[in-house]
Structures are given as structure tokens and as C-alpha cells.
Amino acid sequence: MMFSKLKKSTLFFALITGASVSGAAQANVYNVDYYLRAKLQHHQVFPVNPPATQPAALVELGRNLFFEKEISGRRNMSCSTCHSPVLGSADAQSQSRGQGAIGLGPSRRKNGDEFFQFLPRNTLSLWNRGVAGWDTMFWDGRLGGTPATGFFSPAGADTPQNFSNALAAFSIIPVTPDEEMRGFPGQLDVFGQPNEMAGLTNDDFAQIWPLVTARVVNNDGYNDLLAAAFPGVKDEDIDITHIAEALGAFMTDEFTALNSPFDRYLAGDNNALSVNAKKGALLFYGRANCASCHSGGLQTDFDFHNIAAPQVGTGRGEAAPLDLGRGAITNNPEDNFKFRTPSLRNIELEAPYFHNGAFAKLEDAVRHHLDPKASLASYDDSQVEPEHVGTFQDDLSTIFSLWSTVSPRLTVTGEPLNDDEIDNLMAFLSALTDPSSLNMLDSVPDKLPSGLTLAD
Ligand code: HEC
Ligand code: HEC
């Protein structure tokens, strides 16, 4: 304590007088901290408040549900099929694969002759989604809200309102699409039995949710977990919002990752970041202009921008093979190709990058921002999975329309970044990794309450 006080006052003295603390090299290091802390203050980057501790019984129910295949139409996949605790809470695929595919992570592929359809987007990670203020979900923000403002979702007027946050509200959505967890007509479950949810359509939300809830409530393995999580609530009063609150509590408990070197630096420890990471941070919050979109403690403004990501993969909806992103939600052409600014927490754990997984390497995703025109001109689609090779839309009319709504904030002030500077920027991104997120095998339950296998 005494020592650190002494060090701080010496530093303060050194800064106002310009005197060297103990040799030129060290003075330089101190100066980096002085400038960096001033920049962080200027950009209003403060320590992130962790979410409240979640009730243990609710977390335990949610943990089991997160790995539970019983809630998918064919009893063949769970949330963890795509959000793996050992793959950065995602699946390491450009675009994720639901029904009709088998295997986990990079080895998940179409299963023989089964009907299969790609999900149109790259799986989002789940880090810090329970932090207060994370009220906008999906790459295109089509779900969100707070208890005060109410919640909106693809379910429209059917959207339940009694959620504690947007993360819980989100959790009722993945069970509904046929290509994701619900299954297609005619596809039997893993026991060769009919799937009672398959006859419905994707927008029959109000009919799908009670069927999903019944799968849990009618399974004896869940009796004690439900009773502990919702004491006094009768089985017939459990609905999809209870399932969602439990999933939300588990994800908040498990995927909050706020102990990175950068968090420790924000909390006041000048030694938490390497010199290179500090130089990278000075670029991120300075000349490279990253913080104009990747703002705040989680490096996102939760707003939508077009950074001219390569249009590769299946595309989404009527615009396929293009993906109009936010524009398809607002129907305003000015929003075309805009996507929600991703948080950069634990970013090195969740390759591939961008809404369609266009870039396999983090450094290439970063370099794209620095010169999007050159990046598009040299984009190589052999880095996406084999099925998407050859889908890069590089015709002039696509490139022009992509360019028409590109963000003016993609500008580096002064000289372009040289290779050393990009290395420093990468060192800063690496300092956003919470070491406890590297091994999350402990989160996996030993067995599933339904008795279904955890293996794929
Ligand atoms: C077949 C793969 C797949 C499965 C299964 C799946 N997800 Fe996802 N998840 C995705 C994809 C892809 C996205 C991004 C979709 C988009 O933005 O259009 C996503 C997005 C999310 C998000 C939004 C994160 C954000 O930043 O907006 C949450 C939360 C989430 N999933 C939780 C779950 C839960 C809970 C389950 C189980 C009930 C689940 N997912 C099942 C693939 C999957
Ligand atoms: C104009 C706003 C904006 C600026 C400025 C910006 N970004 Fe981004 N960034 C985005 C958006 C939007 C995406 C997602 C684009 C997509 O998926 O199509 C993104 C994606 C990323 C990704 C990939 C994240 C993921 O989950 O796939 C990284 C890494 C990244 N940005 C780093 C940076 C760095 C480093 C800088 C500064 C050199 C920077 N960004 C500047 C808006 C911005």
C-alpha cells in the first residue's frame, strides 16, 4: 500500500516536471499510461459492472437446459451444439448448421441424405450478454428491450413481456425455427418417433412454446430442478418464460467474462497490460478510430454500421445471396448491409469473424477495416467452409451497392498503420481475453436429466 502510494506520487511529480522516474525507458512506459488513461477517460471507458449474482437453483436448471436435447424437436441438439463452452461459446463455423447436420464444431456437417439448410449467419458468442445495458440482440438487432420499455422479437405481438432482460427474452427464439432446433416435417426424432412440433410453421410461436415447455415439465428428470428454481409454482403454471429465465441466468453466470488484463488495467493496475498492448490501445482509442463504433467498456455502441464485409455464403431471406442486415429489418435502404457492432471481449476465442464468418483470421478481420476496398479486391473465399467456396459476390453492382452505405467512420487519421502498429493493435485485442474463458469444461453437466446423451 505504502509502496504503491509512493510510486504514484513519484509518477505524478515526474509527469508535471517532466523529470525521469528512473531512466528514460521507464519514464516512457509511465507516459504511455498517462496518455492511455487520458484517452480512456475521454472516450468514457470505465470498469464494467458485473451483473448481479444469479439464484443458484435457477442457474442449475438453466445449465441442464442449455445442454438438453429434449427441447429440440428431434431430441438431437441443444443450445450447446452451436454455443460450445470449448469453442468460445460459438461453433467455429462461418455459418452455423442445425437440423440435418451431425458432429460438433468444425466437424459438424450435413448428415447423409437428410434435408439440411444453413442458418444464414455466423453464430454469435454469449460473453457478457447478461451485463446491464445489453438490450439489443442478433447481428441485425431484431430482438431487444428492457422490462421498462417492453420487449420486441421476431414473434411480434406474441412476444411475452415478463422477462428480466433481453438475454432471457432471446432464449425462447432458437427452439422455433425448423432449420435450427425444431426440425422439418417428416423428420423423426432420435428414437424413430414422430416429432410433434414438426407440422407447425416457423411463425407459429404461440403453438410451439407450450410443446417445448411440455417436453421439460413432463420429464421426470426435471421435477426437482423445476421445484428448486420456482418454489411453489405448479407444473401447469410453468411456461416458456420460466425456461427462458433459467437459460438467461445460466448464460449470465457462466459467460460473464470481466477479468481480462484490460479489466484489471481499467481497475487501476498499470502492470496488467504489456507495453505493446498499451500502444495498441492508444491506436484503438486514437488514430485507428476503432472506438468510434467499438465504444464503451465492452467495445460496442450497440448500433448498426456497414463496414463493407465481403458478401459471401448463403445470404439471408429475399435478398439472398446477399444479406442486407439491418436494412431487412427496418426496410430502409440506408440501413442496408449494416450490422450490430460486435463486442470485442474474448474476440480471439471466436473465429471465424463477421456476420457470415467471412474471415478465418482475426488479423484479416482487423485489416479489412483499415482498407476495405483493398480487402474486398483481394478477398479469398477459400477461407470459408467448403460449401461456401465460390459464393463471394464480387460483381460490380454488388460492390457498388455495398459501398453506397459504407460508414464514414472507417478512417485512420494520418499515416496508414504499419505492420508493427497492427501487431500492437492485435496485442490489445488479445488483452481483452479473460483467462477463465479458456477452459469452460466445468460448465458441462455430468449427464442430462432427460437421459439423452451429451455426445453428438
Ligand atoms: C443451430 C445453431 C444454434 C443453436 C442450436 C442455438 N443457437 Fe444461439 N445463435 C446461433 C446463431 C447463428 C446466432 C446469430 C443469429 C443472427 O444474428 O441472425 C445465435 C445467436 C444467439 C444469441 C444472441 C447473442 C447476441 O449477441 O445477440 C443468444 C443469446 C443465443 N444465440 C442463445 C442461444 C440459446 C439459449 C440456445 C438454445 C435455446 C441457442 N442459442 C441455440 C446459432 C444457434
Ligand atoms: C464504422 C464502425 C466501426 C469501426 C470504425 C470499426 N469497426 Fe470493427 N466492426 C464493426 C462492425 C459493424 C462489425 C461487424 C461487421 C459484419 O459482421 O458485417 C465489426 C467487426 C469487427 C471485428 C470482428 C468481430 C466479430 O465478432 O466477428 C473485429 C475484430 C473488429 N471489428 C475490430 C475493429 C478494429 C480493431 C477497429 C479499428 C481498426 C474497428 N473494428 C473499427 C464496426 C466498426
Side-chain angles (χ1 to χ4, degrees):
M1 202 58 199
M2 277 292 288
F3 177 69
S4 71
K5 263 194 192 142
L6 180 75
K7 221 165 72 178
K8 266 188 207 148
S9 54
T10 320
L11 163 65
F12 185 64
F13 175 77
L15 282 171
I16 42 177
T17 60
S20 144
V21 176
S22 65
Q26 206 167 353
N28 236 334
V29 173
Y30 284 136
N31 283 336
V32 170
D33 290 315
Y34 176 76
Y35 287 119
L36 180 51
R37 291 201 179 279
K39 281 246 185 261
L40 292 170
Q41 184 76 34
H42 172 76
H43 284 277
Q44 305 196 355
V45 183
F46 305 120
V48 180
N49 286 328
T53 305
Q54 303 295 300
L58 199 59
V59 170
E60 207 40 38
L61 172 62
R63 176 190 317 281
N64 285 285
L65 289 170
F66 189 82
F67 293 91
E68 183 56 81
K69 295 179 177 165
E70 183 70 19
I71 61 172
S72 65
R74 302 175 67 200
R75 301 181 162 83
N76 63 348
M77 60 187 298
S78 68
C79 309
S80 71
T81 305
C82 300
H83 299 283
S84 165
V86 293
L87 293 171
S89 71
D91 58 2
Q93 302 267 356
S94 304
Q95 285 181 226
S96 76
R97 297 156 202 253
Q99 294 302 324
I102 189 163
L104 287 177
S107 61
R108 190 167 176 81
R109 289 290 178 265
K110 184 175 180 331
N111 186 18
D113 293 334
E114 277 196 25
F115 181 75
F116 164 82
Q117 199 179 312
F118 276 104
L119 264 65
R121 301 249 171 88
N122 175 257
T123 301
L124 279 158
S125 70
L126 303 177
W127 310 115
N128 300 314
R129 270 49 176 185
V131 168
W134 199 307
D135 305 328
T136 309
M137 310 302 279
F138 278 122
W139 281 104
D140 52 20
R142 64 190 186 278
L143 184 147
T146 67
T149 60
F151 294 95
F152 59 91
S153 85
D158 286 338
T159 309
Q161 293 298 317
N162 49 334
F163 296 110
S164 46
N165 57 20
L167 180 60
F170 187 95
S171 302
I172 65 175
I173 301 298
V175 290
T176 59
D178 43 15
E179 80 274 19
E180 194 166 355
M181 291 180 79
R182 193 166 54 83
F184 297 99
Q187 292 181 329
L188 302 174
D189 77 1
V190 289
F191 303 110
Q193 300 297 319
N195 165 10
E196 79 281 18
M197 307 178 195
L200 299 165
T201 59
N202 283 353
D203 51 11
D204 286 335
F205 298 95
Q207 279 92 55
I208 298 168
W209 289 325
L211 296 176
V212 175
T213 309
R215 290 268 187 107
V216 179
V217 173
N218 295 340
N219 198 296
D220 289 349
Y222 278 93
N223 289 352
D224 292 348
L225 287 163
L226 284 169
F230 304 111
V233 180
K234 295 200 212 87
D235 274 3
E236 58 267 32
D237 294 330
I238 299 280
D239 64 31
I240 195 72
T241 62
H242 295 88
I243 308 281
E245 287 292 323
L247 283 166
F250 166 68
M251 289 187 279
T252 299
D253 184 72
E254 192 61 41
F255 296 111
T256 296
L258 296 172
N259 195 19
S260 67
F262 184 60
D263 290 298
R264 297 200 295 278
Y265 188 82
L266 285 180
D269 178 3
N270 278 352
N271 296 321
L273 293 182
S274 69
V275 177
N276 285 355
K278 288 174 191 175
K279 289 183 183 163
L282 281 173
L283 291 165
F284 190 95
Y285 292 100
R287 224 172 94 217
N289 207 31
C290 311
S292 66
C293 302
H294 295 281
S295 59
L298 295 174
Q299 289 77 42
T300 171
D301 56 2
F302 296 104
D303 207 346
F304 306 92
H305 307 276
N306 173 8
I307 61 161
Q311 290 279 314
V312 67
T314 61
R316 186 177 187 277
E318 286 167 22
L322 305 183
D323 184 341
L324 299 183
R326 187 69 181 157
I329 306 301
T330 62
N331 287 318
N332 177 354
E334 285 176 18
D335 290 334
N336 282 354
F337 306 112
K338 291 185 182 175
F339 293 88
R340 186 190 64 185
T341 309
S343 165
L344 300 180
R345 294 316 193 99
N346 281 350
I347 192 66
E348 62 181 357
L349 305 184
E350 48 174 285
Y353 300 99
F354 290 3
H355 68 274
N356 50 6
F359 287 105
K361 294 207 185 89
L362 183 55
E363 185 172 326
D364 292 339
V366 169
R367 283 181 184 268
H368 171 88
H369 290 74
L370 299 171
D371 192 346
K373 275 192 181 141
S375 167
L376 285 176
S378 64
Y379 180 72
D380 174 6
D381 70 6
S382 68
Q383 61 195 300
V384 289
E385 278 95 51
E387 299 94 323
H388 303 304
V389 171
T391 58
F392 175 42
Q393 305 296 310
D394 61 349
D395 56 289
L396 275 184
S397 85
T398 301
I399 300 289
F400 278 137
S401 56
L402 193 56
W403 215 253
S404 68
T405 58
V406 81
S407 172
R409 298 188 200 176
L410 284 177
T411 43
V412 176
T413 314
E415 288 290 297
L417 267 52
N418 63 36
D419 286 350
D420 286 345
E421 289 173 321
I422 292 176
D423 284 350
N424 291 338
L425 203 48
M426 300 310 292
F428 170 63
L429 294 184
S430 190
L432 298 175
T433 301
D434 181 333
S436 67
S437 306
L438 293 170
N439 182 354
M440 312 233 338
L441 271 178
D442 285 356
S443 67
V444 186
D446 297 334
K447 57 182 174 45
L448 292 175
S450 65
L452 287 166
T453 169
L454 272 160
D456 199 69

